[in-house]
Amino acid sequence: MLFDDVLGRYTFTIATPIREDGRVIGVLSMVHDAQAFYQWVTSIRVGRTDHTMLVASDGTLLFCPVFPIKSHTLHPALVATVVAGGRGWGTTSHDVHYPGAEAINGFAPVPISSTPGTNFGGKVWYIVTSQDPRETYGPIYTLLGWIIASGAAAIGLLLLLGLAAARRIVKPIQELQAGAQVIGSGNLNHR
């Protein structure tokens, strides 16, 4: 990615060889406006605080809608998770936007060429998502709160039902015991 002084913006070039009978006879090259490309990449969102970044395999942020281009990099621990291979999700406390909090980051490579080492000057680009952990984990904490409250209510209800059932069982036994004492004291006409 280079800054084009004529256009006054960052651009990147995508090129592909033109082949004839297995030999290269030319190159088709297109210069793309980085901002327009990144606008498309970052239009995909999950939630309010999620945003999508474009990251090189060396950890350099090529585009981030939160901070200016190339003003920060990903932590080496997060880069290691992202470049480990393939696409997926990882948890880290090294999210560049939410340091110290355990964040979930989604990532996927941006493959352009099937020849290893030929993408973007030998680097691989990755799309990485970042979201505020409070928003990510918010539904889980809400669900846990409901489960705890429902569990406490269920335990309370079972306790009340158990007490009511115990009274219904114990009361007749106590009456029978009192009657047995009356009869045992000599009152044989007691019912």
Side-chain angles (χ1 to χ4, degrees), residues 83-124:
V83 302
R87 65 190 98 200
W89 296 92
T91 57
T92 181
S93 58
H94 302 292
D95 187 299
V96 68
H97 301 102
Y98 308 104
E102 186 174 55
I104 297 176
N105 298 103
F107 50 88
V110 180
I112 299 298
S113 171
S114 59
T115 307
T118 61
N119 291 333
F120 309 112
K123 296 177 186 169
V124 177

Side-chain angles (χ1 to χ4, degrees), residues 1-2 7 9-14 30-44 52-56 60-65 69 108-112 119-120 124-128:
M1 184 163 52
L2 301 169
L7 296 174
R9 54 183 52 211
Y10 283 96
T11 62
F12 64 92
T13 303
I14 296 179
M30 293 177 61
V31 176
H32 294 274
D33 178 359
Q35 188 66 29
F37 174 75
Y38 298 140
Q39 291 293 332
W40 173 77
V41 168
T42 61
S43 67
I44 303 166
T52 306
M53 301 171 284
L54 194 60
V55 179
T60 303
L61 257 60
L62 302 171
F63 179 77
C64 175
I69 294 176
V110 180
I112 299 298
N119 291 333
F120 309 112
V124 177
W125 285 5
Y126 293 88
I127 293 177
V128 179

Side-chain angles (χ1 to χ4, degrees), residues 4-178:
D4 188 319
D5 292 323
V6 175
L7 296 174
R9 54 183 52 211
Y10 283 96
T11 62
F12 64 92
T13 303
I14 296 179
T16 186
I18 299 172
R19 299 178 188 265
E20 183 177 288
D21 298 327
R23 54 187 191 96
V24 177
I25 61 169
V27 175
L28 176 62
S29 176
M30 293 177 61
V31 176
H32 294 274
D33 178 359
Q35 188 66 29
F37 174 75
Y38 298 140
Q39 291 293 332
W40 173 77
V41 168
T42 61
S43 67
I44 303 166
R45 297 186 67 140
V46 177
R48 293 178 291 104
T49 61
D50 176 66
H51 63 280
T52 306
M53 301 171 284
L54 194 60
V55 179
S57 53
D58 64 357
T60 303
L61 257 60
L62 302 171
F63 179 77
C64 175
V66 177
F67 295 119
I69 294 176
K70 295 186 179 182
S71 68
H72 59 294
T73 60
L74 294 184
H75 189 278
L78 182 55
V79 172
T81 300
V82 169
V83 302
R87 65 190 98 200
W89 296 92
T91 57
T92 181
S93 58
H94 302 292
D95 187 299
V96 68
H97 301 102
Y98 308 104
E102 186 174 55
I104 297 176
N105 298 103
F107 50 88
V110 180
I112 299 298
S113 171
S114 59
T115 307
T118 61
N119 291 333
F120 309 112
K123 296 177 186 169
V124 177
W125 285 5
Y126 293 88
I127 293 177
V128 179
T129 63
S130 180
Q131 185 177 46
D132 186 344
R134 292 174 297 197
E135 182 179 2
T136 306
Y137 296 116
I140 295 169
Y141 293 139
T142 300
L143 178 62
L144 284 175
W146 277 103
I147 289 171
I148 290 169
S150 298
I155 289 171
L157 181 62
L158 287 173
L159 183 63
L160 290 174
L161 289 173
L163 288 173
R167 282 191 182 151
R168 290 188 74 164
I169 293 171
V170 170
K171 188 174 181 181
I173 293 173
Q174 287 175 336
E175 288 177 8
L176 182 62
Q177 182 183 22

